[in-house]
Amino acid sequence: MTDLGLSQFHFLRPEWFYAIIPAVVLLVIFFRRANSASNWQQTISADLLPFLLDKTATQQSRMPWVILGLSWLLAIVALAGPTWQKIPQPIHKKESALVIVLDLSVSMLATDMKPSRLVKAKHKIIDILNSRQEGLTALVAYSGAAYGVIPLTDDSSTIVAIVPSLEPGIMPKIGSNTEDAIEKAKTLLKDGGANEGKILLITDGIDENATSSVISQINDSNYELAILGVGTEDGSPIATPDGNFLKDNNGGIVIPQLDRSNLS
């Protein structure tokens, strides 16, 4: 059992005690009026006073006010929130904002990281979400275009439930439009009221022609960009549903490699 000492006793909303002031003022006014009956004692003979003044009626007339005063006091104490435990208030909650941007281009199906780059990336996202104790998180998925999957929310469990279903096959347009993904992440942050925040880009590569655009997008904002590169520099072929490997227009097997220097 926990030892609850007086030092731990406190009120969650002590500002409610200001409501005692009007109650005291009203009671003082009443009792001053009620005590005015005692002025008769100065003008009426002491022998006649018991027959002219009904003390029982005076006492009974005061009882509703006494009960009202006590009820008011008890209500104020209850509203002030007496407690033995410290309860964190939402106003002190740190609202850090994070947008996770996941690359769903076909190259993420490469198996140089077992079982695949995409599966590894999903596991990492779930680990990040499970470790976040506070703050808001959003999710963007992109290939040839970017889409906001989940806006900023403090319900990480919803994102965790959706992540396993993200596959390149659900994307309407193939490609790897990183610029559009970053712009979508910035939009989610702004729409969520986050003036500051972090964008975590999880990808196996950024087109060299897009690098300068991505840098400009971040420099023109108050947001930070972190990149998690997925894959190896050796790369690996991409298996197709028919058991073959993905080939380019010239018939060569496509082997996407992680361009670590470009991501840096």
Side-chain angles (χ1 to χ4, degrees):
M1 295 182 62
T2 304
D3 183 17
L4 299 178
L6 289 177
S7 60
Q8 294 178 296
F9 182 78
H10 64 287
F11 292 94
L12 297 176
R13 297 171 294 274
E15 60 274 9
W16 271 103
F17 285 111
Y18 288 114
I20 293 178
I21 297 175
V24 171
V25 172
L26 290 175
L27 290 175
V28 168
I29 293 174
F30 165 74
F31 280 111
R32 283 184 176 179
R33 290 181 177 179
N35 290 334
S36 64
S38 62
N39 294 333
W40 289 102
Q41 296 176 358
Q42 300 176 5
T43 58
I44 298 177
S45 172
D47 296 331
L48 298 176
L49 193 61
F51 301 99
L52 297 177
L53 295 180
D54 188 352
K55 293 184 178 181
T56 302
T58 301
Q59 292 174 352
Q60 290 178 347
S61 65
R62 292 181 179 179
M63 284 304 299
W65 290 92
V66 173
I67 294 173
L68 177 62
L70 292 175
S71 300
W72 194 322
L73 178 60
L74 290 175
I76 291 172
V77 172
L79 290 170
T83 183
W84 297 96
Q85 296 179 336
K86 287 286 186 181
I87 299 178
Q89 300 298 305
I91 192 172
H92 298 305
K93 185 178 180 181
K94 183 180 179 182
E95 296 291 351
S96 59
L98 169 67
V99 179
I100 299 175
V101 180
L102 176 62
D103 185 353
L104 287 183
S105 58
V106 176
S107 61
M108 290 290 286
L109 296 176
T111 57
D112 51 346
M113 298 185 72
K114 302 299 181 182
S116 72
R117 295 177 179 180
L118 182 57
V119 172
K120 280 287 188 181
K122 290 179 181 179
H123 289 168
K124 185 62 178 179
I125 291 174
I126 293 174
D127 288 342
I128 292 172
L129 293 171
N130 289 334
S131 64
R132 277 177 68 78
Q133 301 298 321
E134 57 186 11
L136 304 175
T137 310
L139 178 63
V140 170
Y142 76 99
S143 54
Y147 302 89
V149 181
I150 298 290
L152 282 177
T153 177
D154 58 359
D155 184 10
S156 296
S157 60
T158 299
I159 306 179
V160 170
I162 290 177
V163 167
S165 64
L166 298 178
E167 297 288 342
I170 68 174
M171 304 302 286
K173 186 177 180 181
I174 63 173
S176 184
N177 194 337
T178 310
E179 303 103 310
D180 193 25
I182 297 300
E183 197 60 39
K184 177 63 68 173
K186 290 170 59 179
T187 299
L188 289 181
L189 287 167
K190 292 177 183 177
D191 291 347
N195 296 323
E196 297 180 354
K198 179 173 288 186
I199 299 172
L200 174 60
L201 175 62
I202 303 178
T203 181
D204 59 359
I206 299 176
D207 191 291
E208 291 185 3
N209 297 326
T211 304
S212 59
S213 297
V214 171
I215 293 174
S216 297
Q217 286 175 297
I218 295 300
N219 289 339
D220 292 339
S221 71
N222 293 326
Y223 307 126
E224 299 179 31
L225 174 64
I227 300 178
L228 176 61
V230 184
T232 65
E233 294 179 351
D234 293 332
S236 72
I238 302 171
T240 58
D242 59 4
N244 294 316
F245 294 107
L246 185 67
K247 297 180 181 180
D248 58 24
N249 294 331
N250 297 323
I253 296 177
V254 176
I255 303 179
Q257 300 170 317
L258 178 68
D259 189 349
R260 189 182 301 275
S261 61
N262 189 41
L263 291 180
S264 297

